[in-house]
Amino acid sequence: MLFEPLQIRGLSISNRAWMPPMCMYSADPAPGRAGFPTDFHVAHYAARAAGGAGLVTVEATGVSPEGRISPYDLGLWDDAQISSFARLTAGIRAGGAVPAIQLAHAGRKAATDKPWLGGGSVSETDLGWLPIGPSPLAFPGLPVPAELSRDEISAVVAQFAAAARRADAAGFDVVEIHAAHGYLLHSFLSPISNKRADEYGGSLENRARIVLEVAGAVRAVWPESKPLFMRVSATDWIEENPHDSRDAWTVEQTTQLARWVAELGVDLIHVSSGGVDQVPVPNDVDYQTRLAAEIKRDANVLVGAVGRITTPQQAERLLAEGEADAIYVGREMLRTPSWANDAAIELGARPRFIEQYAYTQPSARA
Ligand code: FNR
């Protein structure tokens, strides 16, 4: 099943072995170049496409300069950036994959350094900026964010829509809205980080309001024939911790959110978890894929599973048992760009570019 095509709206995706968004922290932060993809990004994404992935998701891309996780992130806040992103979509398409992009706002977790340099806050006097959030509550170790006004919330919603329009112009076939990992949209969803008393805080409906507004605004400008995905954190992992009784974001609330955004035209929920606070996360291999299965069953939506999926057999089992509709392979595709082609050979399916890569090895022919 991993190499069965998947049709969503007007798009046919050749297989279900997909690459999730993963920041490379490799853009040039200099004014005038910030946010632009480089030759490295073109090579990096094209390699995973040629390696057989059905869909390749370009990393978290800021809808505004302040929406970047780090000064080294990609961004699509300016029409001048479109042509550089068109180089990414051309490379991914030439590699045989569907080009997707994750549109993101980092919120209170913005303005941090490259993770291999410690990932700490980057000060305003250096390359950083003051982060924003639903409430003036800091993520551990980061500065207190400025609380967004209602007008500023509307501006962020418009920034997501404008970035989606640019993603279409750059040739992307799928947009994924980043509503996970404690970044801006998830920080509104979670009572851990959202203490607002207006219509954007309090009840589930209120905490979800900005996410529904973003989904509606993006769907309104994103072509009808093109799929729209949303990445969610299915739980804050607070409920699962017997020593932590804080009110938090849960899988039941995620399921309700999935139903709401599906009505607004979101086609697939990409199920991740955590990120709003530093809390222990289970370390069993299906810690996260079981959340995908739960949301698929209860919300009756297309679901992408991710997290610690490393072998073709594991991916195949998740699909065969109806736990997911697509499989995202993250770190393993960083290590092995040809993960999907290798999986195809192992499962007896036909790999991509069989002539170019395998004619000298007849045993690898499918
Ligand atoms: C990530 N992840 C991530 N998630 C996301 O939604 N947007 C992003 O830009 C990034 N960036 C990122 C960079 C790097 C270097 C890693 C390793 C991870 C999370 C990623 O998409 C995925 O969910 C996790 O890596 C878990 O899947 P694997 O690696 O266990 O297959």
Side-chain angles (χ1 to χ4, degrees):
M1 288 184 72
L2 192 57
F3 293 90
E4 289 290 314
L6 182 61
Q7 175 87 27
I8 311 178
R9 296 187 184 243
L11 183 72
S12 179
I13 308 174
S14 67
N15 67 46
R16 290 139 190 263
W18 299 355
M19 181 179 170
M22 285 178 284
C23 286
M24 290 290 105
Y25 307 100
S26 298
D28 184 341
R33 291 200 289 276
F36 284 71
T38 64
D39 289 351
F40 165 76
H41 294 96
V42 176
H44 167 70
Y45 289 110
R48 273 78 197 168
L55 173 144
V56 169
T57 315
V58 170
E59 64 199 74
T61 296
V63 299
S64 66
E66 317 73 53
R68 291 169 298 164
I69 299 166
S70 82
Y72 313 96
D73 286 11
L74 299 184
L76 248 182
W77 60 78
D78 190 329
D79 285 356
Q81 290 159 328
I82 294 172
S83 59
S84 298
F85 280 86
R87 297 178 64 218
L88 296 186
T89 59
I92 293 169
R93 211 170 258 118
V98 163
I101 184 167
Q102 185 183 55
L103 297 180
H105 194 301
R108 69 181 191 145
K109 291 173 75 177
T112 60
D113 209 350
K114 300 181 184 197
W116 58 85
L117 298 178
S121 179
V122 179
S123 79
E124 281 179 82
T125 50
D126 194 2
L127 287 166
W129 56 92
L130 181 68
I132 55 171
S135 304
L137 286 170
F139 183 84
L142 297 180
V144 176
E147 180 176 318
L148 282 173
S149 69
R150 281 193 246 172
D151 285 350
E152 288 165 339
I153 291 175
S154 302
V156 168
V157 173
Q159 286 166 351
F160 269 94
R165 181 185 56 72
R166 294 185 193 108
D168 179 42
F172 286 99
D173 283 336
V174 173
V175 154
E176 175 177 288
I177 297 167
H178 197 350
H181 301 165
Y183 297 117
L184 188 69
L185 298 183
H186 178 200
S187 74
F188 269 86
L189 293 170
S190 175
I192 297 281
S193 41
N194 182 351
K195 305 288 184 197
R196 295 178 75 96
D198 66 1
E199 68 265 42
Y200 289 93
S203 67
L204 173 59
E205 286 79 356
N206 282 357
R207 282 180 281 119
R209 191 174 308 279
I210 187 174
V211 180
L212 304 187
E213 287 178 356
V214 166
V218 169
R219 190 71 265 182
V221 300
W222 188 240
E224 194 61 34
S225 61
K226 293 189 179 185
L228 177 61
F229 296 178
M230 181 175 283
R231 194 167 223 212
V232 297
S233 278
T235 173
D236 286 340
W237 295 117
I238 303 285
E239 229 198 2
E240 293 76 3
N241 184 340
H243 307 296
D244 198 334
S245 57
R246 285 177 294 169
D247 197 17
W249 182 246
T250 62
V251 68
E252 291 76 21
Q253 296 175 63
T254 308
T255 302
Q256 180 58 60
L257 179 76
R259 290 197 198 100
W260 283 336
V261 297
E263 279 171 26
L264 293 171
V266 170
D267 300 294
L268 179 138
I269 305 292
H270 184 177
V271 181
S272 191
S273 68
V276 92
D277 200 358
Q278 283 169 335
V279 292
V281 173
N283 62 4
D284 46 317
V285 74
D286 69 343
Y287 78 108
Q288 196 164 266
T289 57
R290 63 172 181 257
L291 301 170
E294 203 171 324
I295 290 162
K296 180 170 168 57
R297 186 194 65 212
D298 293 345
N300 195 23
V301 289
L302 289 178
V303 153
V306 67
R308 301 191 61 177
I309 303 168
T310 55
T311 70
Q313 292 75 16
Q314 193 187 353
E316 185 68 18
R317 185 190 60 76
L318 288 165
L319 294 169
E321 294 180 359
E323 302 204 347
D325 302 284
I327 302 297
Y328 286 96
V329 177
R331 286 162 294 178
E332 208 59 27
M333 268 196 205
L334 292 184
R335 278 190 281 271
T336 309
S338 64
W339 188 92
N341 269 344
D342 297 349
I345 292 167
E346 207 163 320
L347 295 174
R350 188 178 164 79
R352 186 172 299 154
F353 298 126
I354 180 84
E355 287 82 9
Q356 288 89 340
Y357 291 146
Y359 71 96
T360 56
Q361 302 165 44
S363 62
R365 271 187 176 277

